[in-house]
């Protein structure tokens, strides 16, 4: 209050200085558990401090109770010790403010414990009906998903959300260090970038104006033979920002975007969401040779994953996930290793898969043959069994790829391939897809015709090739799949706060 009055009383010039330097003191937020837990605070807690949070568990003994309280800022929260009476009304799920001090703990397992002196119950919770009770066996993932509004109260879900947040920061810092500019592309678009027809159509929004009432129509303004107005351009939720990103890249060169993408996926699997986040990057002025140019793009992708993994591996949240998933440490080592990720062509991948099938005929459900797509089971086998870590598979057959990808020169007839790649990782299969883009206007028109794409709908995209085209390429990374890689969580529905999948959702 005094500070606020002081700030108001200052003349303009010095008041701005005062406001600037001391603005955080005017109305500071309460201390979080994470900062209270920092060792220096714990060690020097002679003054009482106030801890806010939600009670995760409350174990009552004869004269004393132990409550775990967490405000979502740390993995484990704080174990609070309350003497008889102080624990009244504290039930799992309630919100409370606990005032107390850190003292030496007589119990095993922790050096300090938080001895509560005063309790303020902020919001009570009916422990009988609370959907996320603290049980030994844990709450099943399906129950947590049905209760997505309360799911972040669960340790793993909260840790996952903090991991997502730190990942975005790590990506931003990494790309900034490589001189990439973050840009935004529209989410409503009239193009189906991947051409797979998995678009969500936007039904409402600007449509043709309604016809005027008959009385308002002058006899000359319209006749029964006048052509009907053209149908409104269809609008979709974007499946990929790539085409718009290419447009911005043809001015700013190194660009990336991080935004939601929408696919009307029918696949009801642990790897698919209808609304997911995608990190997409695009870069121009690549080397003239296809193999080197493609490698330049793969290197960009590899560096960002390595850098994000290294940074995240140092966090308490990932340390927690390692305790939950024994295979995680090795997976993180694979992603952060200084060794270049393995690279093999689609043709080589098919060969090793065929070799494997020849001695293990029932290894896969789906057939392996040059020209057929690699299925998830093949992708996982390549990453888990053949390589034992991340692996780029490059140069897929042209017919299975979208119109914008650059064909490889000099392919034998019937064996045409494209300068593209997928990054496959253990447990998940595809994490990233990328390619060089067709940079020649004539060749792009030709590819569009082959794919049955109306050129007039993509004139703007073709113009990018007419005015100062460059050899360029980029990739898209499925964010929830990267979250799954870094946390060991097995289902992408647990890697986003409110998953949108084929099943109905309450939210
Ligand atoms: N930006 C990209 O290369 C991603 C690609 N368009 C995809 O959706 O797979």
């Amino acid at each position: 209050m005094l500070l606020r009055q002081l700030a108001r009383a200052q003349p303009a010039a010095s008041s701005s200085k005062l406001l600037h330097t001391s603005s955080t003191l005017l109305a500071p937020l309460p201390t979080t558990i994470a900062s209270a837990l920092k060792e220096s605070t714990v060690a020097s807690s002679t003054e009482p401090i106030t801890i806010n949070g939600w009670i995760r568990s409350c174990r009552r003994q004869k004269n004393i109770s132990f409550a775990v309280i967490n405000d979502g800022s740390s993995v484990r929260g704080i174990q609070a010790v309350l003497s008889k009476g102080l624990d009244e009304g504290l039930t799992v799920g309630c919100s409370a403010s606990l005032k107390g001090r850190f003292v030496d703990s007589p119990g095993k397992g922790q050096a300090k414990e938080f001895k509560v002196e005063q309790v303020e119950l902020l919001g009570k919770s009916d422990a009988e009906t609370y959907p996320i009770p603290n049980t030994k066996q844990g709450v099943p993932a399906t129950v947590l998903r049905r209760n997505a509004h309360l799911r972040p109260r669960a340790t793993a879900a909260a840790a996952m959300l903090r991991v997502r947040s730190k990942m975005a920061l790590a990506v931003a810092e990494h790309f900034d260090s490589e001189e990439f500019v973050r840009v935004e592309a529209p989410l409503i678009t009239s193009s189906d970038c991947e051409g797979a027809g998995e678009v969500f159509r936007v039904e409402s929004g600007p449509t043709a104006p309604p016809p005027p009432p008959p009385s308002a129509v002058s006899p000359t303004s319209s006749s029964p033979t006048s052509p009907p107005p053209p149908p409104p351009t269809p609008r979709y939720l974007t499946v990929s920002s790539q085409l718009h990103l290419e447009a911005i890249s043809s001015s700013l060169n190194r660009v990336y975007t991080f935004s939601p993408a929408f696919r009307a996926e029918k696949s009801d699997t642990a790897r698919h969401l209808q609304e997911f986040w995608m990190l997409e990057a695009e870069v121009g002025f690549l080397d003239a040779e296809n193999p080197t140019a493609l490698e330049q793009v793969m290197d960009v992708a590899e560096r960002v994953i390595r850098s994000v993994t290294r940074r995240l591996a140092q966090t308490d949240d990932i340390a927690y996930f390692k305790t939950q998933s024994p295979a995680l440490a090795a997976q993180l080592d694979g992603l952060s290793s200084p060794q270049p990720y393995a690279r093999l062509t689609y043709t080589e991948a098919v060969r090793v898969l065929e070799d494997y099938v020849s001695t293990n005929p029932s290894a896969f459900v789906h057939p392996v043959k040059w020209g057929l797509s690699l299925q998830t089971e093949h992708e996982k086998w390549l990453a888990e069994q053949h390589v034992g870590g991340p692996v780029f598979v490059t140069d897929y057959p042209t017919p299975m790829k979208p119109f914008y990808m650059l064909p490889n020169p000099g392919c034998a007839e019937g064996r045409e391939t494209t300068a593209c790649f997928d990054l496959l990782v253990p447990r998940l299969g595809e994490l990233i897809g990328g390619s060089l883009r067709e940079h020649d206007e004539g060749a792009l028109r030709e590819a569009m015709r082959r794919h049955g794409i109306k050129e007039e709908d993509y004139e703007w995209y073709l113009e990018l090739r007419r005015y100062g085209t460059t050899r360029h390429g980029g990739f898209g990374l499925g964010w929830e799949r990267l979250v799954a890689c870094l946390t060991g969580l097995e289902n992408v529905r647990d890697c986003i706060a409110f998953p949108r999948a084929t099943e109905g959702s309450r939210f």
Side-chain angles (χ1 to χ4, degrees), residues 327-496:
L328 182 58
Q331 172 142 330
L332 296 177
D333 287 349
L335 292 172
S336 60
S337 151
Q339 298 301 323
Y341 296 174
R343 295 178 184 197
L344 71 166
T345 64
Y346 166 88
T347 303
E348 288 161 348
V350 168
R351 200 174 304 131
V352 296
L353 283 160
E354 280 174 340
D355 280 354
Y356 185 66
V357 172
S358 68
T359 48
N360 301 274
S362 53
F364 303 118
V365 175
H366 300 91
V368 179
K369 190 164 167 254
W370 201 98
L372 297 181
S373 297
L374 297 183
Q375 301 296 322
T376 309
E377 56 177 352
H378 307 134
E379 295 177 341
K380 285 196 204 167
W381 182 85
L382 286 165
E384 287 164 16
Q385 309 293 325
H386 182 61
V387 171
V391 51
F392 284 106
V393 176
T394 64
D395 306 287
Y396 285 77
T398 305
M400 66 172 71
K401 289 296 173 186
F403 74 98
Y404 55 75
M405 290 189 178
L406 182 70
N408 284 321
C411 298
E413 211 186 315
R415 286 265 170 166
E416 289 84 4
T417 60
T418 287
C420 65
F421 66 86
D422 281 355
L423 177 66
L424 312 180
V425 292
R427 286 197 317 117
L428 284 165
E430 183 189 341
L431 174 63
I432 294 186
S435 74
L436 299 185
R437 319 307 190 187
E438 178 55 77
H439 50 273
D440 177 80
E441 183 184 346
L444 188 56
R445 278 191 195 281
E446 190 46 46
M448 285 177 162
R449 270 180 229 131
R450 277 200 311 277
H451 281 82
I453 291 171
K454 285 200 240 144
E455 289 159 63
E456 61 268 30
D457 291 347
Y458 288 85
E459 278 306 327
W460 65 272
Y461 187 65
L462 287 155
E463 274 190 18
L464 300 174
R465 278 70 183 164
R466 196 174 314 151
Y467 303 118
T469 190
T470 83
R471 184 177 288 268
H472 65 287
F475 62 85
L477 174 155
W479 196 246
E480 286 72 26
R481 291 188 185 179
L482 184 58
V483 175
C485 276
L486 298 184
T487 57
L489 290 168
E490 279 172 10
N491 193 320
V492 288
R493 290 169 207 195
D494 302 327
C495 297
I496 187 167

Side-chain angles (χ1 to χ4, degrees), residues 193-194 239-243 245-246 257 261 263 276 278-282 402 404-405 421-422 430 432-435 437 473-477:
C193 169
E194 293 307 292
V239 296
S240 161
S241 298
Q242 179 198 318
L243 306 187
L245 203 53
E246 281 184 67
T257 188
R263 296 201 184 165
F276 62 101
M278 188 148 59
L279 175 68
E280 299 185 84
E282 205 63 34
Y404 55 75
M405 290 189 178
F421 66 86
D422 281 355
E430 183 189 341
I432 294 186
S435 74
R437 319 307 190 187
F475 62 85
L477 174 155

Side-chain angles (χ1 to χ4, degrees), residues 179 181 183 247-255:
E179 298 174 73
V181 178
V183 298
I248 305 178
S249 174
S250 48
S251 295
L252 297 190
N253 184 17
R254 298 183 192 186
V255 291

Side-chain angles (χ1 to χ4, degrees), residues 22-42:
S22 59
S23 59
T24 52
L25 295 177
L26 292 179
L29 290 169
T31 310
T32 64
I33 287 183
S35 66
L37 277 176
K38 289 218 176 88
E39 254 170 65
S40 54
T41 321
V42 173

